[in-house]
Amino acid sequence: MLQLIEAIRSGNIADFKGEGLKVYPASLTTAGGTTIAIVRTTEGKKLIAVGEGELFDQLQGEEAAAGAKVAPLSHANRLTLNRFLPYTAPQAFGTKVATMGLGDRLGIASPGHIQTLRGKDIRPVLAQQSIRELALTGRTYEDVLDAAAYAVLQEGYKDGYGADGDHLKKEADIEYALRLGFTMLTLDCSEYIDNTIDPLSEAEVDAKYAALPAELRSHYETRYLASAPNVPGASLNYTALALKKDVLIYDAAINFMEAIYRRYIESLDREVDFEISIDETATPTSPEAHYLVANELQARGVRIFSMAPRFCGEFQKGIDYIGDIAQFERELASHAAIAVHFGYKLSIHSGSDKFSVFPLIGQYTNGLFHIKTAGTNWLEAVRVVTKVNPDLYRRMHQYALDHFEEATAYYHVTTDLSVIAPLGEVSDAQLPEYMNENNARQLLHITYGLLLQAKNADGSLTFADEFFQTLAEQEDVFAAGLRSHIGRHLELLGK
């Protein structure tokens, strides 16, 4: 350790070799009179600080030598780093650059994500998690931000990253994310979208619509039936029945969007990328419905960063697009044109692995989009386990099969367990092929929370400790897998 401290003091750690130590040369940085670097020890990653001054004094750690500290990668130390090294804090990006949400459910994928996106015309939203994901992984938003910030420091990445409070519905959760400094908020409006309307008969729709206040009905009819909207590149054709349905489905949600904007976004003294999610609906979002929501928000002075409609077809977890690609292209053209018309980015949710439609998304958005990924990063970690720890994988796979139905309460998938090759018929060398088969991918995808939190009778974790130890030992292999897999996403998106 003393030799490492001297190497950091001299600023020359690229060639340092030490038993039980791995240094991250890109993390070496100096602020004031303090030089710091991240090092992996036999006890995990640590922050080594050498020198003097405010940063040195404020970092919490143990003295290792005169003018040297070994500090944990703690929440308190992350906050200190944010103050002295602003690039380690998240930022908002606005609407002028493409962004990619990279939900790191494990807290260890961000180095690989940074290596993948570095130097490309797209910015990473490294800290992206929903409250559901936090509950399933036993993490907090503090944990999510800490992991992203330390990854940024480790990789010496200074081009900026975002932090997204994803799919938030409750005001307490919105307050929580914003209080911690999250720079993006994805508002999930699903609880205010009426999914009972679309299946109704015309007479039933008419009756429900007639019960609305006359002033409200007149407002919508004047704005959408009196004259056709002019949006270059979009095909919009309102009918009386379709408008009635859209008003019944979305009016309460629009009020909710405005209320959250007024209460939490408009009054902030910093920029926040405010995304509207209307993708959690029973039926696809028509271009007409998309335009109506966007037009109403603009009329009310609500500024948004992006909007996520529900596209036709299916955007299921961890597999390619399912549906009519020609229809998707036609509707995508209108959705993208609407986003351009109102000055925000089109957002694509459950965007992992949708390789067949990525070129279309890049084309019709002119490369200006927001796309969310998450579970595919977990699957790349599982792929590593299939290769280097087959015994662990086999136990995880069987547990996932045994608890699959429990996991379907959280995610919609059309997985057919009967076509997944039985474990007993698959050799260790063939295990990685599970990660190339859609049904097996979804099996492991949606059971991540159950696997990570499973416990033995004595209270010890059944899989998680061994899983994380395996990934720590295979850190470079995991990062290489992410560079390849997420890199393929970017290439097909035109980045």
Side-chain angles (χ1 to χ4, degrees):
M1 182 63 74
L2 291 177
Q3 290 178 317
L4 173 59
I5 289 169
E6 289 308 312
I8 293 172
R9 198 187 304 276
S10 68
N12 182 23
I13 63 171
D15 299 322
F16 178 83
K17 304 291 183 184
E19 186 175 352
L21 297 172
K22 176 183 177 180
V23 299
Y24 299 87
S27 68
L28 186 71
T29 190
T30 299
T34 306
T35 300
I36 59 174
I38 292 180
V39 178
R40 178 178 289 284
T41 73
T42 55
E43 298 176 351
K45 290 182 180 178
K46 303 289 183 180
L47 186 67
I48 310 298
V50 178
E52 59 184 5
E54 284 188 83
L55 174 56
F56 185 86
D57 292 341
Q58 291 184 32
L59 285 172
Q60 299 174 5
E62 296 180 359
E63 183 177 345
K69 283 180 182 177
V70 178
L73 303 192
S74 65
H75 177 66
N77 282 338
R78 190 268 292 178
L79 294 176
T80 296
L81 291 175
N82 288 168
R83 290 192 294 272
F84 288 89
L85 302 172
Y87 66 88
T88 65
Q91 67 175 74
F93 287 111
T95 59
K96 304 303 182 184
V97 64
T99 43
M100 188 176 203
L102 295 153
D104 178 9
R105 294 170 178 166
L106 300 171
I108 57 175
S110 289
H113 291 150
I114 292 168
Q115 293 166 24
T116 306
L117 272 71
R118 190 194 295 270
K120 299 186 184 300
D121 183 27
I122 188 168
R123 295 293 179 269
V125 180
L126 298 175
Q128 171 200 283
Q129 294 284 273
S130 66
I131 295 297
R132 174 176 62 186
E133 287 170 314
L134 296 182
L136 289 172
T137 57
R139 301 174 76 208
T140 67
Y141 269 149
E142 288 89 342
D143 296 332
V144 173
L145 279 176
D146 293 348
Y150 283 119
V152 165
L153 177 62
Q154 176 182 307
E155 297 299 316
Y157 181 71
K158 300 181 180 179
D159 291 339
Y161 74 96
D164 178 14
D166 190 21
H167 275 279
L168 299 186
K169 304 176 183 181
K170 298 179 180 179
E171 293 194 38
D173 296 331
I174 292 169
E175 291 173 356
Y176 173 35
L178 293 177
R179 183 174 69 252
L180 293 180
F182 273 70
T183 57
M184 179 176 174
L185 190 151
T186 299
L187 184 66
D188 184 333
C189 304
S190 59
E191 293 183 359
Y192 294 85
I193 293 172
D194 192 340
N195 284 315
T196 68
I197 300 300
D198 196 68
L200 298 180
S201 68
E202 184 171 349
E204 290 171 322
V205 170
D206 286 343
K208 279 185 169 288
Y209 184 74
L212 296 176
E215 184 179 357
L216 181 68
R217 287 183 275 124
S218 175
H219 167 84
Y220 280 109
E221 290 163 10
T222 301
R223 284 170 66 79
Y224 301 99
L225 294 180
S227 60
N230 180 20
V231 178
S235 177
L236 299 171
N237 180 30
Y238 287 95
T239 65
L241 177 60
L243 177 65
K244 290 174 184 177
K245 284 188 172 184
D246 287 344
V247 172
L248 291 167
I249 292 170
Y250 293 105
D251 181 64
I254 294 168
N255 292 335
F256 174 61
M257 298 168 198
E258 181 187 11
I260 295 300
Y261 178 79
R262 296 275 179 254
R263 195 168 300 143
Y264 298 103
I265 306 300
E266 189 177 43
S267 60
L268 280 177
D269 59 357
R270 60 185 176 88
E271 290 296 317
V272 167
D273 294 327
F274 185 43
E275 172 163 302
I276 296 297
S277 167
I278 54 172
D279 64 314
E280 300 285 341
T281 54
T283 56
T285 310
S286 68
E288 288 80 9
H290 180 178
Y291 177 86
L292 181 145
V293 173
N295 197 42
E296 291 303 304
L297 291 178
Q298 183 187 66
R300 301 182 189 197
V302 176
R303 294 174 53 246
I304 66 173
F305 158 83
S306 49
M307 188 180 297
R310 177 180 169 184
F311 296 99
C312 63
E314 293 197 46
F315 277 63
Q316 289 191 28
K317 304 296 183 181
I319 63 174
D320 206 343
Y321 174 77
I322 300 172
D324 184 333
I325 291 181
Q327 180 186 359
F328 175 81
E329 181 175 7
R330 288 192 300 272
E331 295 190 10
L332 173 66
S334 291
H335 287 302
I338 292 166
V340 169
H341 179 76
F342 288 104
Y344 56 78
K345 294 189 289 192
L346 191 65
S347 184
I348 295 87
H349 287 193
S350 297
S352 302
D353 308 295
K354 305 304 180 285
F355 300 111
S356 62
V357 295
F358 282 158
L360 296 174
I361 292 169
Q363 173 188 343
Y364 284 98
T365 63
N366 292 313
L368 197 60
F369 53 79
H370 181 66
I371 186 166
K372 295 197 183 204
T373 70
T376 201
N377 306 300
W378 151 259
L379 290 176
E380 286 306 301
V382 174
R383 188 190 300 275
V384 173
V385 174
T386 67
K387 294 176 179 179
V388 303
N389 194 339
D391 177 68
L392 173 60
Y393 176 76
R394 288 179 183 278
R395 287 182 279 122
M396 290 174 62
H397 185 109
Q398 187 59 54
Y399 189 91
L401 284 171
D402 294 343
H403 294 81
F404 179 75
E405 289 304 318
E406 185 179 344
T408 59
Y410 302 102
Y411 295 100
H412 166 67
V413 291
T414 54
T415 310
D416 185 351
L417 297 182
S418 69
V419 304
I420 300 175
L423 276 171
E425 299 176 10
V426 178
S427 69
D428 286 354
Q430 294 171 320
L431 290 178
E433 287 304 309
Y434 279 125
M435 294 298 97
N436 298 326
E437 199 280 319
N438 283 350
N439 295 285
R441 285 179 64 82
Q442 290 197 323
L443 166 68
L444 272 297
H445 185 296
I446 72 168
T447 53
Y448 70 92
L450 299 174
L451 289 163
L452 290 172
Q453 297 208 65
K455 291 183 179 180
N456 300 313
D458 63 0
S460 62
L461 292 167
T462 308
F463 308 109
D465 290 340
E466 186 178 355
F467 181 86
F468 280 106
Q469 181 60 37
T470 299
L471 269 294
E473 294 168 356
Q474 302 293 326
E475 180 179 26
D476 293 339
V477 175
F478 182 34
L482 290 171
R483 291 197 302 271
S484 174
H485 190 64
I486 300 300
R488 185 183 175 203
H489 288 59
L490 295 175
E491 181 180 357
L492 290 171
L493 286 163
K495 297 298 180 181

